[in-house]
Amino acid sequence: MRVEIVGLFASAVHAFEGRPGDGPRPDPEDPRRECLEVRAGLGVVGDRYFHHPAHRQASVTLLAVESLERIAAELGVSAFDPALARRTVVLRGADVDALTHTDFTLDGLRFRGHRAAHPCRWMDVVLAPGAFRAMRGHGGVRCEPLSDGVLRLGPTTLRVRDAA
């Protein structure tokens, strides 16, 4: 299926630490990327979760931009900056939440979707009040990269394979 990668994000720091009421830590650099280098079993080079054993099956997170658009409309607010959701890859044109427990390729790279990427209370702070609840079931999927390569912004192909 033809899809579009509309956002690629990597950050060396975890901005959502502590209490949401205290606000996020500022990123030392903008997390937006034109491309991401992905390594099998390790994640995204330069990202805070790269090569962390606890995140091997969750080192890349995918989110559908349509989910953010629907949530913004439900809450009656303007469109969200996808970078604020802190997901690695934001796609247009795919049912990302259906990729749990599924092997797939995106832009020629192989991935295994493991579990839903559940939102946290930070979404009420950085997106809008009510976003945390509205994102439940629509927060994307946590994935493990199975091959090395580079993801780039723009049109590409998503191919879903057999269930993992």
Side-chain angles (χ1 to χ4, degrees):
M1 109 179 25
R2 294 298 292 169
V3 298
E4 182 180 5
I5 298 176
V6 297
L8 294 169
F9 307 95
S11 178
V13 300
H14 196 305
F16 298 162
E17 290 183 325
R19 298 171 195 224
D22 296 336
R25 288 188 333 183
D27 270 334
E29 61 183 65
D30 190 338
R32 293 167 186 79
R33 302 288 185 262
E34 294 289 319
C35 63
L36 293 176
E37 181 181 352
V38 178
R39 297 274 184 81
L42 300 174
V44 173
V45 175
D47 190 72
R48 64 197 175 280
Y49 295 124
F50 184 75
H51 201 341
H52 281 240
H55 293 278
R56 292 269 165 81
Q57 295 185 344
S59 60
V60 176
T61 53
L62 273 63
L63 177 67
V65 72
E66 292 90 347
S67 292
L68 291 178
E69 292 167 347
R70 180 190 54 77
I71 292 163
E74 277 180 22
L75 298 176
V77 298
S78 59
F80 300 126
D81 176 355
L84 296 174
R86 305 295 285 190
R87 301 298 191 249
T88 316
V89 180
V90 180
L91 297 177
R92 179 175 298 285
D95 182 2
V96 169
D97 297 302
L99 296 174
T100 57
H101 309 295
T102 303
D103 286 358
F104 61 95
T105 60
L106 178 63
D107 205 15
L109 276 74
R110 293 182 307 118
F111 290 91
R112 177 163 294 143
H114 285 284
R115 65 187 194 286
H118 297 297
C120 64
R121 293 222 176 263
W122 277 98
M123 297 301 101
D124 283 347
V125 174
V126 298
L127 296 179
F132 166 64
R133 181 167 291 200
M135 281 184 77
R136 289 184 189 164
H138 306 286
V141 63
R142 297 188 183 284
C143 304
E144 173 186 8
L146 302 176
S147 63
D148 295 346
V150 176
L151 293 173
R152 297 184 194 317
L153 292 174
T156 191
T157 303
L158 172 70
R159 287 189 176 91
V160 178
R161 298 170 57 188
D162 295 332

